[in-house]
Amino acid sequence: MFTQMTNPPPLTPAFRITFGILVALTLSLIWVPHYLPLTDYPEHLLAIQVLGHYHDTAFEFARNYTYDLHNLPYISVYLLGMGLVRIFSVYTVGKIILSLYVVLTPASILMLVRSIPGLSPWNAIVSIGLLFNLFYYLGSLNFLLSIFLAFFLLALLLQATQGLAETPARPRDAQNKISRPWISSAILCLLSIALLYSHIVTFVAVLFVAVVLLGHALARRRPIRYAIVSLLPSIVLTAYLLWHQRSAAPSSYEMSWLPFRDRLFDLLQPFLIYRDDVFHHIVINRLYLILLGIWVLTVAVSMLLSIHGPIRDNNISGRSAATTRSIGWIILGCFTLTAIIFPSQIPSASVGHRLSVLVMFSICAVIPGTIFQKQTWRAVLIAVTGLVLALNGYYAYEFNQEMRPFMELVQHMKPDARVLPLFANLHCAHLKTYPFLHVINYYHLEKGGTNPYLLFQNMPQMPVHYRALDELPAVGSFDPRGFNWEKHHDSYQYFLTRDPAPQILEQLQDHTREVFHSDGWDLFEPR
């Protein structure tokens, strides 16, 4: 007779209230600030705006851009955005997408820990403090959507295959025996396809974890055929996407392996912002790192207790307790292994960084249930989570203060213009993730036009491309000191600076007139 998972105990009112309040506070950090300090976020919004209003004469997007929605690995977020932007403003659409991330990621972790007997639902609250990681501040919408899809998929896979508790299965009627596995299989299939088309790197990592979990279930004589069938369509689509991308125009980012030492360091990177700014970040954001240090220490102690301490659950026998412990460590270990061995993109090593975020979230699957049975640990968890949320709210407030003069500057610009940003200072007061790198796209969202530093200009896997990129000679988005008036002035109608280098300012003052100046921002147009 097959064994099955017992239903997890109902969530207590204290947990429901705490979880709801913390998620609501997290949502407020998305909806209260008008602008969010996320680096690539304005570029994704622009792509959604172009796709949703391609033929709108107010923006002239059709004249400046082309788009292609076929065979793209990042299409989920853009299809979702295209549908929503016809109803809501693009700013609202962006916040809806981020809201899905901050609500469904803790929900997916909650579903995962409740799929593993012996774990506490309070483990899911740990994930709330992990939401504001490097890739949140980089504004990588595709990857953020893939996180909760990944953990929902793993939770459903566990429920479909593991049967961790040792209680006899209740008899079911013949119809349920036939229909329920196929319903679960269909849901798994749809989730895996959605994950694949959200972010292929996350999908490959989750597929590796799934294969190991299926092998674990097979060794324990659990039925896995429906799970295998559900994953086959996404595996075939993955092979097709890789073949198609290989035959497309080459990307400017080539895959290679970083030194092993650097790959290990990548596991810490989601909360150190950037490799080149580690020491500066420690000085500027020491409070944030102290909070995260407490967090990491708490998790480390919890992990040690999970190895040496017993799992106390009256509904779980000793053998199932061991299985419970091993399932969490399989997930954590597989994600850690992929983060270390997966090839990394040069120069940003973004693949390893992304996978390390999955490692951080999967820690919730190994914290023993006995930890949060104590009220003291629950109070510490709530307090630290609240402090992390408050600090990130402060970051958003400071960024909005610095955005005010820029948006006032935008009102002085004519529609549908070509703009050359010359930003010597890409940081805001407390964040070193270059939140002003693509801020010019807020002008394009309001009034159309283009600039030479679009995120999707050299990436064939993105859906939107500029028609005449060769007509826009670039200087360098991170270092504009190569600006030369004779080379660049014919291609642009505006030159936008922030704390410019003296040699750039001297050239602009000689050949342009200043349209706007405020708090380090300057807008120039040719005379």
Side-chain angles (χ1 to χ4, degrees):
M1 179 179 294
F2 288 115
T3 61
Q4 68 170 16
M5 293 178 63
T6 54
N7 291 326
L11 298 174
T12 63
F15 174 82
R16 291 175 184 270
I17 293 172
T18 303
F19 189 80
I21 290 175
L22 290 175
V23 169
L25 290 174
T26 308
L27 276 174
S28 71
L29 302 185
I30 303 297
W31 288 94
V32 172
H34 190 68
Y35 301 102
L36 298 171
L38 315 183
T39 305
D40 293 339
Y41 180 64
E43 296 242 310
H44 291 296
L45 293 187
L46 178 59
I48 291 171
Q49 183 87 316
V50 170
L51 293 170
H53 297 281
Y54 189 71
H55 297 290
D56 192 332
T57 56
F59 299 101
E60 298 290 348
F61 288 142
R63 182 168 61 84
N64 292 321
Y65 303 97
T66 62
Y67 72 90
D68 181 7
L69 298 177
H70 297 91
N71 304 316
L72 298 174
Y74 302 143
I75 198 62
S76 293
V77 71
Y78 299 113
L79 290 179
L80 176 62
M82 281 179 64
L84 292 173
V85 81
R86 300 176 189 275
I87 305 172
F88 306 103
S89 74
V90 70
Y91 297 103
T92 302
V93 170
K95 293 191 174 186
I96 290 174
I97 294 173
L98 288 172
S99 297
L100 292 176
Y101 163 67
V102 301
V103 172
L104 294 183
T105 298
S108 67
I109 299 297
L110 177 61
M111 184 175 179
L112 178 66
V113 299
R114 283 171 64 80
S115 301
I116 305 177
L119 298 187
S120 169
W122 289 84
N123 291 15
I125 292 181
V126 175
S127 69
I128 296 177
L130 303 177
L131 290 171
F132 298 96
N133 51 66
L134 172 64
F135 284 93
Y136 170 80
Y137 279 108
L138 290 182
S140 303
L141 297 186
N142 315 83
F143 176 70
L144 296 180
L145 285 187
S146 75
I147 293 174
F148 65 79
L149 291 172
F151 287 105
F152 273 133
L153 191 151
L154 291 176
L156 286 173
L157 191 68
L158 287 178
Q159 293 178 7
T161 62
Q162 290 298 332
L164 298 179
E166 296 181 343
T167 56
R170 291 176 295 181
R172 285 184 168 82
D173 56 70
Q175 182 178 359
N176 283 340
K177 285 183 179 179
I178 296 174
S179 63
R180 185 168 182 178
W182 284 107
I183 292 175
S184 300
S185 182
I187 295 173
L188 274 173
C189 180
L190 293 175
L191 266 179
S192 63
I193 293 174
L195 175 59
L196 169 62
Y197 283 98
S198 293
H199 207 283
I200 192 170
V201 170
T202 308
F203 173 79
V204 171
V206 170
L207 184 62
F208 174 64
V209 179
V211 168
V212 176
L213 288 177
L214 289 175
H216 182 271
L218 184 62
R220 299 177 63 246
R221 298 182 180 181
R222 303 302 183 192
I224 65 172
R225 61 184 183 274
Y226 292 111
I228 293 175
V229 170
S230 68
L231 295 175
L232 282 178
S234 57
I235 294 173
V236 173
L237 285 171
T238 302
Y240 173 71
L241 279 175
L242 292 174
W243 171 82
H244 181 269
Q245 289 297 311
R246 191 172 183 178
S247 62
S251 171
S252 60
Y253 297 96
E254 297 298 331
M255 302 298 292
S256 63
W257 278 265
L258 286 174
F260 184 74
R261 180 189 61 184
D262 292 344
R263 281 180 272 153
L264 288 176
F265 186 72
D266 281 347
L267 293 175
L268 301 176
Q269 282 296 96
F271 305 98
L272 295 179
I273 307 302
Y274 266 112
R275 188 186 310 277
D276 295 336
D277 282 316
V278 170
F279 296 106
H280 188 61
H281 182 71
I282 289 174
V283 173
I284 297 299
N285 289 336
R286 59 173 64 91
L287 174 59
Y288 196 23
L289 288 181
I290 288 172
L291 293 176
L292 288 169
I294 295 172
W295 201 287
V296 170
L297 181 62
T298 302
V299 170
V301 171
S302 302
M303 290 167 64
L304 290 174
L305 290 175
S306 74
I307 295 174
H308 299 291
I311 297 176
R312 299 186 180 93
D313 192 314
N314 295 330
N315 297 321
I316 308 174
S317 69
R319 197 176 80 183
S320 285
T323 300
T324 294
R325 185 182 296 122
S326 67
I327 289 295
W329 282 99
I330 285 173
I331 296 172
L332 177 62
C334 288
F335 277 135
T336 303
L337 186 61
T338 55
I340 294 174
I341 69 173
F342 209 97
S344 298
Q345 283 186 348
I346 301 300
S348 64
S350 60
V351 172
H353 292 170
R354 283 178 169 87
L355 294 177
S356 63
V357 172
L358 299 179
V359 173
M360 294 295 180
F361 280 110
S362 61
I363 287 174
C364 299
V366 299
I367 302 175
T370 54
I371 293 294
F372 295 120
Q373 288 179 1
K374 298 180 179 180
Q375 297 294 332
T376 302
W377 281 105
R378 293 183 184 181
V380 170
L381 176 65
I382 294 169
V384 174
T385 303
L387 287 172
V388 170
L389 295 182
L391 191 61
N392 284 277
Y394 173 70
Y395 288 167
Y397 170 78
E398 288 292 316
F399 177 74
N400 275 263
Q401 296 298 108
E402 294 187 56
M403 276 289 292
R404 286 183 178 179
F406 172 78
M407 294 311 298
E408 185 180 351
L409 176 151
V410 167
Q411 303 309 312
H412 290 78
M413 301 173 70
K414 300 174 184 177
D416 193 30
R418 294 182 177 186
V419 186
L420 179 60
L422 300 167
F423 298 162
N425 180 9
L426 298 169
H427 302 309
C428 66
H430 297 284
L431 289 172
K432 303 305 169 186
T433 47
Y434 307 109
F436 289 106
L437 179 63
H438 299 299
V439 74
I440 186 59
N441 290 287
Y442 284 113
Y443 161 74
H444 302 315
L445 291 173
E446 299 282 345
K447 298 187 176 183
T450 190
N451 75 85
Y453 303 134
L454 297 174
L455 176 69
F456 36 77
Q457 62 187 15
N458 293 321
M459 302 178 70
Q461 64 268 34
M462 303 300 286
V464 177
H465 300 277
Y466 185 60
R467 287 186 180 275
L469 185 61
D470 293 340
E471 298 177 6
L472 297 179
V475 179
S477 55
F478 286 94
D479 186 2
R481 288 177 294 180
F483 172 73
N484 182 280
W485 176 258
E486 298 301 326
K487 179 181 178 181
H488 297 102
H489 77 280
D490 285 337
S491 303
Y492 299 99
Q493 296 158 282
Y494 288 109
F495 301 90
L496 178 59
T497 69
R498 184 172 189 247
D499 300 331
Q503 62 269 31
I504 294 177
L505 187 59
E506 182 179 349
Q507 292 184 69
L508 292 174
Q509 289 175 341
D510 289 342
H511 300 94
T512 66
R513 73 178 188 90
E514 188 174 46
V515 178
F516 178 86
H517 169 79
S518 178
D519 293 339
W521 294 97
D522 293 276
L523 177 65
F524 301 90
E525 66 177 1
R527 290 173 182 166

